[in-house]
Amino acid sequence: MTYQAEFAQMKTFLHFTEADVSRLQQLAPVFHEHAATITDAFYARLAEDSETAPIIGGRVEALKRTHKAWMVRLFAGEYDDAFLDEQVRIGRVHVRAGILPRFVELIGSVLRQDGIALINHHFDDQEMIDSYIKVLDLTLSAISYAYLDERLARMSRISGMSRTLIERLIARG
Protein backbone atom coordinates (compact mmCIF):
# COMPACT_ATOMS: atom_id res chain seq x y z
CA MET A 1 0.00 0.00 0.00
CA THR A 2 1.37 3.41 -0.88
CA TYR A 3 1.65 6.07 1.76
CA GLN A 4 -0.95 8.11 -0.13
CA ALA A 5 -3.38 5.19 0.24
CA GLU A 6 -2.49 4.91 3.93
CA PHE A 7 -3.12 8.65 4.33
CA ALA A 8 -6.55 8.27 2.74
CA GLN A 9 -7.21 5.32 5.04
CA MET A 10 -6.19 7.42 8.07
CA LYS A 11 -8.59 10.18 7.07
CA THR A 12 -11.37 7.60 6.82
CA PHE A 13 -10.43 6.04 10.15
CA LEU A 14 -10.45 9.45 11.88
CA HIS A 15 -13.77 10.33 10.17
CA PHE A 16 -12.03 13.36 8.69
CA THR A 17 -14.86 14.79 6.59
CA GLU A 18 -15.79 17.88 4.63
CA ALA A 19 -17.36 19.17 7.84
CA ASP A 20 -13.88 19.04 9.42
CA VAL A 21 -12.45 20.88 6.43
CA SER A 22 -15.10 23.58 6.80
CA ARG A 23 -14.46 23.96 10.53
CA LEU A 24 -10.69 24.19 9.96
CA GLN A 25 -11.24 26.91 7.39
CA GLN A 26 -13.34 28.78 9.96
CA LEU A 27 -10.42 28.52 12.38
CA ALA A 28 -7.98 29.93 9.82
CA PRO A 29 -8.42 33.64 10.67
CA VAL A 30 -8.03 33.01 14.40
CA PHE A 31 -4.88 30.94 14.00
CA HIS A 32 -3.50 33.38 11.45
CA GLU A 33 -4.02 36.22 13.92
CA HIS A 34 -2.35 34.30 16.75
CA ALA A 35 0.30 32.43 14.76
CA ALA A 36 3.12 34.66 15.96
CA THR A 37 2.17 34.27 19.64
CA ILE A 38 1.82 30.49 19.37
CA THR A 39 5.05 30.23 17.41
CA ASP A 40 6.98 32.41 19.85
CA ALA A 41 5.78 30.31 22.81
CA PHE A 42 6.57 27.12 20.90
CA TYR A 43 10.16 28.18 20.13
CA ALA A 44 10.67 29.47 23.66
CA ARG A 45 9.93 25.95 24.91
CA LEU A 46 12.32 24.44 22.39
CA ALA A 47 15.02 26.92 23.43
CA GLU A 48 14.61 25.88 27.09
CA ASP A 49 15.44 22.24 26.36
CA SER A 50 19.08 21.18 26.34
CA GLU A 51 18.56 18.76 23.42
CA THR A 52 16.52 21.00 21.13
CA ALA A 53 18.17 24.35 21.89
CA PRO A 54 21.36 23.56 19.91
CA ILE A 55 19.30 22.41 16.92
CA ILE A 56 17.42 25.70 16.65
CA GLY A 57 20.24 27.96 17.78
CA GLY A 58 21.09 30.73 15.36
CA ARG A 59 18.12 29.93 13.12
CA VAL A 60 15.16 30.78 15.31
CA GLU A 61 13.75 33.64 13.20
CA ALA A 62 13.86 31.61 9.98
CA LEU A 63 12.34 28.62 11.75
CA LYS A 64 9.58 30.81 13.16
CA ARG A 65 8.69 32.03 9.66
CA THR A 66 8.52 28.43 8.46
CA HIS A 67 6.42 27.39 11.43
CA LYS A 68 3.93 30.22 10.92
CA ALA A 69 3.56 29.22 7.26
CA TRP A 70 3.01 25.61 8.32
CA MET A 71 0.29 26.69 10.74
CA VAL A 72 -1.49 28.71 8.07
CA ARG A 73 -1.34 25.67 5.76
CA LEU A 74 -3.12 23.56 8.40
CA PHE A 75 -6.25 25.61 7.83
CA ALA A 76 -6.10 26.06 4.04
CA GLY A 77 -8.76 23.43 3.38
CA GLU A 78 -6.77 21.14 1.11
CA TYR A 79 -5.76 17.83 2.67
CA ASP A 80 -4.67 15.98 -0.43
CA ASP A 81 -1.48 14.31 -1.69
CA ALA A 82 0.26 17.70 -1.92
CA PHE A 83 -0.55 18.35 1.75
CA LEU A 84 0.71 14.88 2.64
CA ASP A 85 3.92 15.36 0.63
CA GLU A 86 4.58 18.66 2.40
CA GLN A 87 4.18 17.05 5.83
CA VAL A 88 6.50 14.17 4.90
CA ARG A 89 9.03 16.71 3.57
CA ILE A 90 8.86 18.52 6.90
CA GLY A 91 9.46 15.20 8.64
CA ARG A 92 12.52 14.59 6.48
CA VAL A 93 13.87 18.01 7.43
CA HIS A 94 13.39 17.07 11.09
CA VAL A 95 15.23 13.78 10.52
CA ARG A 96 18.17 15.55 8.83
CA ALA A 97 18.28 18.14 11.62
CA GLY A 98 18.55 15.37 14.19
CA ILE A 99 15.29 16.12 15.99
CA LEU A 100 14.39 12.98 17.90
CA PRO A 101 10.97 11.42 17.20
CA ARG A 102 9.87 11.90 20.80
CA PHE A 103 10.24 15.67 20.39
CA VAL A 104 7.97 15.61 17.35
CA GLU A 105 5.31 13.94 19.49
CA LEU A 106 5.88 16.33 22.39
CA ILE A 107 5.75 19.29 20.03
CA GLY A 108 2.43 17.94 18.74
CA SER A 109 1.17 17.88 22.30
CA VAL A 110 2.23 21.49 22.90
CA LEU A 111 0.51 22.61 19.69
CA ARG A 112 -2.59 20.62 20.64
CA GLN A 113 -2.79 22.27 24.07
CA ASP A 114 -2.16 25.79 22.79
CA GLY A 115 -4.58 25.36 19.90
CA ILE A 116 -7.36 23.97 22.07
CA ALA A 117 -6.97 26.90 24.48
CA LEU A 118 -7.21 29.30 21.53
CA ILE A 119 -10.28 27.57 20.12
CA ASN A 120 -11.97 27.57 23.53
CA HIS A 121 -11.26 31.28 23.89
CA HIS A 122 -12.83 32.15 20.52
CA PHE A 123 -15.43 29.45 19.87
CA ASP A 124 -15.94 27.09 22.82
CA ASP A 125 -16.94 24.45 20.25
CA GLN A 126 -16.01 20.80 20.75
CA GLU A 127 -16.44 20.01 17.05
CA MET A 128 -13.87 22.71 16.20
CA ILE A 129 -11.50 21.13 18.71
CA ASP A 130 -12.12 17.67 17.27
CA SER A 131 -11.34 18.88 13.74
CA TYR A 132 -8.18 20.58 14.96
CA ILE A 133 -7.02 17.43 16.73
CA LYS A 134 -7.70 15.36 13.61
CA VAL A 135 -5.59 17.58 11.37
CA LEU A 136 -2.76 17.59 13.92
CA ASP A 137 -2.93 13.79 14.11
CA LEU A 138 -2.80 13.54 10.32
CA THR A 139 0.24 15.81 10.16
CA LEU A 140 1.99 14.01 13.00
CA SER A 141 1.42 10.70 11.26
CA ALA A 142 2.88 12.02 8.01
CA ILE A 143 5.86 13.61 9.76
CA SER A 144 6.46 10.38 11.69
CA TYR A 145 6.37 8.46 8.41
CA ALA A 146 9.56 10.29 7.41
CA TYR A 147 11.30 8.87 10.47
CA LEU A 148 10.15 5.34 9.67
CA ASP A 149 11.11 5.75 6.04
CA GLU A 150 14.61 6.97 6.97
CA ARG A 151 15.13 4.12 9.42
CA LEU A 152 14.10 1.53 6.86
CA ALA A 153 16.35 3.11 4.23
CA ARG A 154 19.25 3.23 6.69
CA MET A 155 18.73 -0.42 7.66
CA SER A 156 18.66 -1.38 4.00
CA ARG A 157 21.93 0.47 3.33
CA ILE A 158 23.65 -1.02 6.39
CA SER A 159 22.44 -4.60 5.94
CA GLY A 160 22.41 -4.79 2.16
CA MET A 161 18.88 -6.25 2.36
CA SER A 162 16.18 -4.88 0.16
CA ARG A 163 13.68 -2.63 1.83
CA THR A 164 10.89 -4.98 0.80
CA LEU A 165 12.60 -7.85 2.60
CA ILE A 166 13.10 -5.74 5.73
CA GLU A 167 9.43 -4.73 5.69
CA ARG A 168 8.36 -8.37 5.31
CA LEU A 169 10.60 -9.42 8.21
CA ILE A 170 9.09 -6.69 10.37
CA ALA A 171 5.57 -7.67 9.38
CA ARG A 172 6.20 -11.30 10.31
CA GLY A 173 7.62 -10.33 13.70
Side-chain angles (χ1 to χ4, degrees):
M1 178 182 298
T2 67
Y3 193 69
Q4 288 78 8
E6 289 180 26
F7 187 67
Q9 187 179 40
M10 286 185 286
K11 288 194 290 189
T12 300
F13 182 81
L14 291 174
H15 301 287
F16 188 80
T17 66
E18 288 302 315
D20 292 303
V21 172
S22 176
R23 284 189 286 271
L24 290 167
Q25 289 174 314
Q26 291 174 49
L27 290 172
V30 172
F31 276 84
H32 184 74
E33 178 185 340
H34 296 279
T37 303
I38 291 171
T39 299
D40 288 345
F42 171 74
Y43 276 94
R45 278 184 105 163
L46 290 175
E48 291 170 357
D49 185 86
S50 63
E51 287 187 64
T52 55
I55 295 170
I56 66 169
R59 304 179 315 137
V60 174
E61 290 310 312
L63 291 169
K64 283 181 178 182
R65 283 190 300 277
T66 301
H67 186 263
K68 288 178 208 169
W70 173 81
M71 282 185 58
V72 168
R73 177 77 167 98
L74 284 182
F75 305 100
E78 295 181 20
Y79 307 97
D80 54 8
D81 287 349
F83 177 82
L84 169 64
D85 292 344
E86 179 66 12
Q87 303 313 306
V88 172
R89 186 194 66 72
I90 290 167
R92 288 190 173 118
V93 169
H94 288 156
V95 169
R96 282 193 305 276
I99 299 169
L100 297 173
R102 72 174 181 262
F103 283 107
V104 174
E105 292 176 19
L106 293 172
I107 288 164
S109 179
V110 169
L111 293 173
R112 185 174 288 114
Q113 292 169 30
D114 291 350
I116 289 171
L118 184 61
I119 294 166
N120 279 331
H121 180 74
H122 288 274
F123 294 95
D124 193 26
D125 182 335
Q126 186 60 46
E127 288 182 325
M128 292 279 199
I129 292 169
D130 293 345
S131 296
Y132 177 68
I133 290 170
K134 287 177 190 180
V135 78
L136 285 180
D137 288 346
L138 287 170
T139 60
L140 179 60
S141 176
I143 289 169
S144 295
Y145 170 79
Y147 284 88
L148 172 64
D149 188 52
E150 172 58 27
R151 287 180 174 185
L152 288 172
R154 189 178 303 164
M155 191 65 182
S156 180
R157 285 190 307 272
I158 292 168
S159 69
M161 292 189 291
S162 74
R163 186 179 167 127
T164 303
L165 176 58
I166 294 170
E167 289 175 347
R168 285 184 185 152
L169 289 170
I170 292 169
R172 290 185 187 170

